Amino acid sequence: MYNVHAALSDAVQLIYKSEFESAAREAFVTVENYLKKKSGLDAHGFDLATRALSFEADKQTCAIKRAPLIAINGLKNESERNEQDGIRYMLMGFFQGPRNLHQHNHIGSGVSNTISVIIEAPFFPHLLDGRSITQNGRWITKKVDYREIYQKVPKRIDRWKLVRLLKKNHCCTQMRWNYGTNDFVLPDNQHSR
């Protein structure tokens, strides 16, 4: 269900092998190397994020005086400039906090922490690939099988919330109630979009 960036496939494979500490480290290294490649900088961590994503705008006209090496979006309005700054600060924190703890202090990483890192890490390569939140609104570009997701949700109330969300977003408008199972059934012809 979660769209993990292809660059992080090695980290995901390490999770499957229950090598959690290695998976977290691999995710940090992958994000850093991805940012290095996109920016062309030979820097590390906090400094890399700062230099790659910083820009300067005129306070009076809001015109960009110094463009960033990597622009997440067009920086045309306040929302886009806020997104650029926010992602820069998030990456700076990602490297300064969790990454430094894993890389330099050799702390152990349990399942929960590793999964958190693997969930957070794809956020950055997706943005660096030009999938701005302010421009695109979503990243999942492939079809999603909602029936599979629905069947894996254990609680009926959560399945009901999923159905409501799908209907609201016009992903699946025809649902029917199965009286035999006392549950919703998604039609075969509307399981994905």
Side-chain angles (χ1 to χ4, degrees):
M1 180 171 132
Y2 190 73
N3 189 16
V4 176
H5 194 279
L8 291 155
S9 61
D10 289 345
V12 171
Q13 292 306 314
L14 289 167
I15 288 175
Y16 294 149
K17 295 177 183 178
S18 298
E19 296 177 21
F20 302 113
E21 190 171 339
S22 297
R25 284 198 177 110
E26 179 65 26
F28 290 123
V29 168
T30 299
V31 171
E32 186 172 55
N33 288 339
Y34 206 80
L35 185 57
K36 282 181 180 183
K37 182 178 175 185
K38 290 279 186 179
S39 68
L41 293 172
D42 186 26
H44 298 281
F46 185 92
D47 184 49
L48 173 64
T50 303
R51 291 174 52 199
L53 298 167
S54 292
F55 68 96
E56 190 177 335
D58 184 275
K59 294 192 189 291
Q60 301 274 329
T61 65
C62 295
I64 303 301
K65 291 169 41 177
R66 185 181 51 80
L69 294 175
I70 300 172
I72 302 299
N73 55 52
L75 303 172
K76 296 176 185 167
N77 57 46
E78 185 177 4
S79 291
E80 290 183 356
R81 290 187 294 275
N82 286 342
E83 179 185 29
Q84 180 81 18
D85 278 339
I87 299 308
R88 175 171 48 101
Y89 293 133
M90 287 178 68
L91 261 170
M92 289 163 56
F94 185 71
F95 291 132
Q96 188 73 20
R99 188 258 230 171
N100 280 353
L101 290 172
H102 280 274
Q103 298 292 88
H104 302 300
N105 294 337
H106 306 289
I107 64 167
S109 183
V111 176
S112 180
N113 288 341
T114 299
I115 298 299
S116 295
V117 168
I118 299 298
I119 287 173
E120 183 180 5
F123 183 72
F124 302 115
H126 282 302
L127 287 167
L128 297 172
D129 284 346
R131 295 189 181 134
S132 162
I133 299 167
T134 57
Q135 293 177 346
N136 301 317
R138 71 166 116 170
W139 297 328
I140 300 175
T141 56
K142 59 187 175 187
K143 288 190 174 191
V144 176
D145 187 346
Y146 294 112
R147 286 182 307 159
E148 180 182 346
I149 296 167
Y150 178 84
Q151 291 166 357
K152 290 182 179 179
V153 175
K155 294 182 179 177
R156 181 176 290 154
I157 187 70
D158 293 331
R159 290 193 304 268
W160 180 77
K161 288 177 184 176
L162 175 64
V163 168
R164 286 190 61 210
L165 177 68
L166 293 174
K167 283 186 173 185
K168 180 180 177 184
N169 292 324
H170 306 290
C171 298
C172 186
T173 55
Q174 295 179 359
M175 302 290 297
R176 65 181 174 83
W177 184 258
N178 183 326
Y179 289 97
T181 62
N182 284 331
D183 212 347
F184 284 102
V185 177
L186 290 140
D188 287 338
N189 63 345
Q190 288 197 355
H191 70 281
S192 62
R193 81 172 199 167

